[in-house]
Amino acid sequence: MTSLLRSFGNPVSFSAGIVLLALLVAGWALARRCPGAGSVRVVAGAAIVVWLSVVVYVTVVLPSTSLLEARFSLVPLVDTVRGLLSPSFGNVAVATAANTALFAPLGVALGLISLPEGVATRDWVKPVVFALAVSVAAESFQGFVTERGAVAADDLIANVVGAWLGWLLARRVGPRDVSRVHRGAGTASDDLEGPVVGTSECPEATRGAGEGRRAAG
C-alpha cells in the first residue's frame, strides 16, 4: 500500500492525473458532439502524451530510486491468486486495480480517436497491442536497466485489461453518435437530436467526410 501511495499520491502523479482527466473529459465531450472531428483526435492525442509521461514516471522513474532489487514473477496469475487468498488480499486487490486503472486512459483515448469509423470494426486490437508494448517496455526497463521494482506477468495482464476496458468505455460515446454518422450519409431517420456529422453543424467532420469522398472518387 505504501508503494501505491508513493506512486500515485505524490504531487507529480496527482497533477498529471488531473490534466489527463481534464483532457479525456474534453475529448469525450467533443466526441459526443462531433465524433471523428480533428479536435477530438488532437485532444485525445494530447491525453496519450500525458498518460505516457505518467506511466514512465510511475513505472520507471520512481522504481529506479528504490533500494529493493528487481523481483521477477513471470508465471501468470500465480502471485495474484495467492495474494488474494492470503491475509493481505486487500493490498493485492488494490494493487491489481491500480495496475488496471493506470492503463484505462489509454483505451479511452484510442477509442475516442477511432470514432466514428472504429465503431464498426474490431479496433480493440489497437489498445491491447499498444498497452502490451508499453507495459513490456516498462517492465523490461525495470528488470534489466534499473534493476529495481517488480517485473510481473500479472502486471502485463492487468495493464492490457485496463486498456481494453477503457476502450469499451469510449465505445459508450457511440450509439447515438453513430446514428448521426449514418444520418449524415442519408441512411437514418431525421428525428434524432444534436449536431449531425457531415453538415455545417459539425464543420471539422464535414471536411473529413468530403476529403474521404474525394479520395474514394
Side-chain angles (χ1 to χ4, degrees), residues 146-174:
T146 63
E147 297 184 350
R148 294 290 185 272
V151 181
D154 290 2
D155 290 350
L156 297 179
I157 295 172
N159 294 160
V160 170
V161 169
W164 178 69
L165 290 176
W167 176 84
L168 286 180
L169 180 61
R171 298 295 91 188
R172 297 300 298 169
V173 176

Side-chain angles (χ1 to χ4, degrees), residues 3-194:
S3 61
L4 283 176
L5 292 176
R6 181 169 175 264
S7 297
F8 297 102
N10 65 79
V12 175
S13 298
F14 184 79
S15 300
I18 294 297
V19 173
L20 176 58
L21 179 61
L23 288 171
L24 291 176
V25 170
W28 186 295
L30 288 169
R32 289 290 293 176
R33 182 169 181 80
C34 291
S39 57
V40 176
R41 292 180 169 85
V42 170
V43 173
I48 291 177
V49 172
V50 175
W51 172 81
L52 279 172
S53 301
V54 172
V55 169
V56 170
Y57 183 73
V58 170
T59 64
V60 176
V61 176
L62 287 181
S64 67
T65 63
S66 173
L67 298 178
L68 298 177
E69 294 185 356
R71 180 179 66 85
F72 290 83
S73 176
L74 304 181
V75 181
L77 302 179
V78 171
D79 282 354
T80 298
V81 172
R82 286 177 178 172
L84 292 175
L85 296 177
S86 71
S88 60
F89 70 92
N91 290 344
V92 175
V94 171
T96 302
N99 279 320
T100 303
L102 179 61
F103 274 64
L106 171 64
V108 173
L110 290 176
L112 294 177
I113 288 174
S114 67
L115 285 172
E117 60 272 1
V119 174
T121 64
R122 295 181 178 179
D123 63 337
W124 58 267
V125 174
K126 297 177 184 177
V128 167
V129 172
F130 200 136
L132 185 61
V134 173
S135 188
V136 167
E139 297 292 318
S140 298
F141 196 89
Q142 288 180 3
F144 302 108
V145 179
T146 63
E147 297 184 350
R148 294 290 185 272
V151 181
D154 290 2
D155 290 350
L156 297 179
I157 295 172
N159 294 160
V160 170
V161 169
W164 178 69
L165 290 176
W167 176 84
L168 286 180
L169 180 61
R171 298 295 91 188
R172 297 300 298 169
V173 176
R176 187 177 62 180
D177 298 312
V178 175
S179 297
R180 294 177 193 167
V181 175
H182 294 306
R183 177 182 164 195
T187 59
S189 63
D190 293 330
D191 58 353
L192 298 176
E193 296 180 357

